[in-house]
Amino acid sequence: KTFIVKPSKGCQGTGIRLTRCLDEISPHEPNIVQRYLHRPHLLDGYKYDLRLYVLLSAVSPLRLYLFEEGLVRMCTEKYHQPTNANMHNTCAHLTNYSINKSDGDYVANADAADDASGHKWSLAACYRALAEDGVDVGRLSSRIDSIFAKTLIAAQNHITNKYAQHFRRRNAC
């Protein structure tokens, strides 16, 4: 098993690394650790992620809107399953823009009209490419909506409490 370790207070890719040994992760350092997907879906042989945006407009009742456009961030090097020999190759394993933009193979999307070029695509361009590969994009989009809804439902009590605390403090002033 391989894990991606992200310092919880990091930004712009600083300190993100892959490991196979959980003992290498200090329990005294705040980190976010996720299991690496060994069979990720690829676009043209490259690993990618989706950066999607949600507006939470009400907490009681819970009301959210998923913005219909988003970003697709791609690695700059073709994917190869992680091994001890290539785990250091962050540009093949991590989709973080701040890591990949410095790579010599990084290609910026110079034309918003051609939103399927380079290593950063629009969500619409990704959906078109997936549809060309036979993916049922409507079903995929519905499943993404469902994941957002279920995630916020799972966190609704926490969100509602934090929201109430914030406005109690603010109204007390």
Short mmCIF file of all heavy atoms in Angstrom, two decimals, residues 5-16 29-32 96 98:
data_model
loop_
_atom_site.label_atom_id
_atom_site.label_comp_id
_atom_site.label_asym_id
_atom_site.label_seq_id
_atom_site.Cartn_x
_atom_site.Cartn_y
_atom_site.Cartn_z
N VAL A 5 1.02 11.71 1.86
CA VAL A 5 1.08 12.43 3.13
C VAL A 5 1.13 13.92 2.82
O VAL A 5 2.03 14.38 2.10
CB VAL A 5 2.31 12.02 3.96
CG1 VAL A 5 2.34 12.75 5.29
CG2 VAL A 5 2.35 10.51 4.15
N LYS A 6 0.16 14.67 3.37
CA LYS A 6 0.09 16.11 3.16
C LYS A 6 0.14 16.81 4.50
O LYS A 6 -0.70 16.54 5.36
CB LYS A 6 -1.22 16.48 2.46
CG LYS A 6 -1.46 15.80 1.16
CD LYS A 6 -2.84 16.14 0.63
CE LYS A 6 -3.15 15.33 -0.62
NZ LYS A 6 -4.46 15.65 -1.16
N PRO A 7 1.11 17.70 4.71
CA PRO A 7 1.09 18.48 5.95
C PRO A 7 -0.20 19.30 6.00
O PRO A 7 -0.55 19.96 5.03
CB PRO A 7 2.31 19.40 5.83
CG PRO A 7 3.15 18.79 4.75
CD PRO A 7 2.22 18.04 3.85
N SER A 8 -0.92 19.23 7.12
CA SER A 8 -2.23 19.88 7.17
C SER A 8 -2.13 21.40 7.10
O SER A 8 -3.10 22.07 6.74
CB SER A 8 -3.00 19.46 8.43
OG SER A 8 -2.33 19.90 9.58
N LYS A 9 -0.97 21.95 7.45
CA LYS A 9 -0.82 23.40 7.39
C LYS A 9 -0.03 23.83 6.15
O LYS A 9 0.34 24.98 6.02
CB LYS A 9 -0.12 23.91 8.64
CG LYS A 9 -0.98 23.71 9.88
CD LYS A 9 -0.31 24.26 11.10
CE LYS A 9 -1.20 24.02 12.30
NZ LYS A 9 -0.60 24.47 13.54
N GLY A 10 0.21 22.90 5.24
CA GLY A 10 0.97 23.21 4.04
C GLY A 10 0.11 23.85 2.97
O GLY A 10 -1.12 23.87 3.05
N CYS A 11 0.76 24.40 2.00
CA CYS A 11 0.06 24.95 0.84
C CYS A 11 0.98 24.88 -0.36
O CYS A 11 2.19 24.78 -0.23
CB CYS A 11 -0.40 26.39 1.10
SG CYS A 11 0.92 27.57 1.32
N GLN A 12 0.38 24.90 -1.53
CA GLN A 12 1.10 24.89 -2.80
C GLN A 12 2.06 23.72 -2.94
O GLN A 12 3.15 23.84 -3.46
CB GLN A 12 1.82 26.22 -3.01
CG GLN A 12 0.85 27.38 -3.09
CD GLN A 12 1.53 28.68 -3.42
OE1 GLN A 12 2.71 28.87 -3.10
NE2 GLN A 12 0.80 29.57 -4.06
N GLY A 13 1.64 22.57 -2.43
CA GLY A 13 2.41 21.35 -2.61
C GLY A 13 3.58 21.16 -1.67
O GLY A 13 4.25 20.14 -1.72
N THR A 14 3.82 22.11 -0.78
CA THR A 14 4.97 22.02 0.12
C THR A 14 4.84 20.82 1.06
O THR A 14 3.84 20.68 1.76
CB THR A 14 5.10 23.31 0.95
OG1 THR A 14 5.18 24.41 0.06
CG2 THR A 14 6.33 23.27 1.84
N GLY A 15 5.82 19.96 1.03
CA GLY A 15 5.88 18.85 1.96
C GLY A 15 5.06 17.62 1.59
O GLY A 15 5.07 16.64 2.33
N ILE A 16 4.34 17.64 0.46
CA ILE A 16 3.56 16.47 0.07
C ILE A 16 4.53 15.37 -0.38
O ILE A 16 5.48 15.63 -1.12
CB ILE A 16 2.58 16.78 -1.07
CG1 ILE A 16 1.57 17.84 -0.63
CG2 ILE A 16 1.85 15.52 -1.50
CD1 ILE A 16 0.62 18.27 -1.74
N GLU A 29 2.97 15.28 14.28
CA GLU A 29 2.83 16.30 13.23
C GLU A 29 1.42 16.22 12.65
O GLU A 29 0.96 15.13 12.33
CB GLU A 29 3.85 16.07 12.11
CG GLU A 29 5.29 16.15 12.55
CD GLU A 29 5.72 17.58 12.83
OE1 GLU A 29 5.26 18.49 12.14
OE2 GLU A 29 6.52 17.76 13.76
N PRO A 30 0.75 17.35 12.49
CA PRO A 30 -0.59 17.29 11.88
C PRO A 30 -0.48 17.06 10.36
O PRO A 30 0.07 17.88 9.65
CB PRO A 30 -1.19 18.66 12.19
CG PRO A 30 -0.02 19.56 12.43
CD PRO A 30 1.11 18.69 12.91
N ASN A 31 -0.95 15.91 9.93
CA ASN A 31 -0.90 15.53 8.51
C ASN A 31 -2.26 15.02 8.07
O ASN A 31 -3.05 14.55 8.87
CB ASN A 31 0.12 14.41 8.27
CG ASN A 31 1.53 14.87 8.43
OD1 ASN A 31 1.98 15.77 7.75
ND2 ASN A 31 2.26 14.24 9.34
N ILE A 32 -2.49 15.09 6.79
CA ILE A 32 -3.62 14.43 6.17
C ILE A 32 -3.01 13.28 5.37
O ILE A 32 -2.12 13.50 4.55
CB ILE A 32 -4.40 15.39 5.26
CG1 ILE A 32 -4.98 16.53 6.08
CG2 ILE A 32 -5.48 14.65 4.49
CD1 ILE A 32 -5.46 17.71 5.28
N ASN A 96 -1.03 18.12 -8.00
CA ASN A 96 -0.94 19.47 -7.48
C ASN A 96 -0.28 20.41 -8.49
O ASN A 96 0.83 20.17 -8.95
CB ASN A 96 -0.16 19.45 -6.16
CG ASN A 96 -0.15 20.77 -5.46
OD1 ASN A 96 0.47 21.70 -5.94
ND2 ASN A 96 -0.82 20.83 -4.32
N SER A 98 1.04 23.37 -8.14
CA SER A 98 2.29 24.00 -7.70
C SER A 98 3.48 23.08 -7.86
O SER A 98 4.60 23.53 -8.02
CB SER A 98 2.16 24.45 -6.24
OG SER A 98 1.21 25.48 -6.16
#
